[in-house]
Amino acid sequence: MASRTVDVTLVSARDLRDVNLVSKMEVYAVVYLAGDPISRERVLADRTGGRNPTWNATVRVTVPASGSGSGALRVLLRTERPLGDRDVGEVILPLTEILAGAGDEPTGATQGAYKVRKVGSSKVHGVLNLSYKLGGVIHPPAGQYQQAGATGYLAAAAAPYASAPPPQQLSYPYPCPPPTMVRPLRVSSR
């Protein structure tokens, strides 16, 4: 399957929801392809920005070149806290929107301001400024998937064994211990 890279530059955010009641927020971002936890890339936390963090950091994520299906690039904003990090909000960018009109060649940077929504909700809690640019389409070598594709693996796994392994002889280095006598329990009738 052909793939391409997306370089996401997280510029800044503003008017984020304050989820730290006691301390100042130290917001960081995690960018990944939705449904693929292996593709997670984290941006360092802004220690001074609070509700208006600035990162100017770039992460690279590999996505399918076709953009078909319901794939999306997810930007999760979180804050560092002593008792465990907490979600601030998220931005979901559909791959169909990112890859719309892009050919096989690399593209220039596209800038945008996206609404930050509370995780699992439609409430808007700020704006995320970011830009992204697409790398060129990478096609796998011609015979790679024909030799070791999913069907080849399953066929090899389902192939019968040439012969059953010989039964193993159980041998113990020491003889079994003699049985022990157990005294019957006395029931007292008081």
Side-chain angles (χ1 to χ4, degrees):
M1 171 184 263
S3 63
R4 69 188 319 161
T5 59
V6 179
D7 292 334
V8 180
T9 302
L10 299 164
V11 179
S12 64
R14 67 177 191 274
D15 301 328
L16 295 177
R17 177 177 59 119
D18 193 357
V19 296
N20 286 359
L21 300 176
V22 178
S23 61
K24 189 173 186 176
M25 289 200 317
E26 298 176 356
V27 181
Y28 65 92
V30 180
V31 180
Y32 61 98
L33 185 62
D36 184 14
I38 296 174
S39 67
R40 287 181 182 248
E41 295 291 333
R42 180 182 164 164
V43 173
L44 294 175
D46 179 9
R47 306 260 180 234
T48 59
R51 294 184 59 216
N52 302 303
T54 302
W55 300 285
N56 289 322
T58 302
V59 296
R60 178 172 284 174
V61 180
T62 303
V63 299
S66 64
S68 61
S70 61
L73 204 59
R74 185 173 181 207
V75 180
L76 179 64
L77 301 178
R78 303 195 78 199
T79 182
E80 293 179 343
R81 299 183 335 159
L83 298 176
D85 296 356
R86 188 165 180 192
D87 293 342
V88 175
E90 69 179 343
V91 172
I92 297 177
L93 303 167
L95 284 180
T96 53
E97 179 183 317
I98 294 172
L99 301 174
D104 288 351
E105 299 301 317
T107 64
T110 303
Q111 297 179 355
Y114 298 91
K115 294 178 181 177
V116 177
R117 301 189 187 280
K118 184 177 175 182
V119 176
S121 174
S122 61
K123 292 183 180 179
V124 177
H125 291 288
V127 176
L128 175 66
N129 299 307
L130 63 83
S131 67
Y132 59 86
K133 65 180 181 178
L134 301 173
V137 174
I138 303 166
H139 296 282
Q144 181 178 356
Y145 288 108
Q146 294 172 353
Q147 294 173 359
T151 57
Y153 173 76
L154 293 175
Y161 291 104
S163 65
Q168 294 184 356
Q169 297 294 328
L170 299 176
S171 63
Y172 297 102
Y174 302 106
C176 293
T180 56
M181 286 289 288
V182 178
R183 283 191 315 173
L185 288 175
R186 287 181 139 170
V187 178
S188 141
S189 60
R190 280 190 185 194

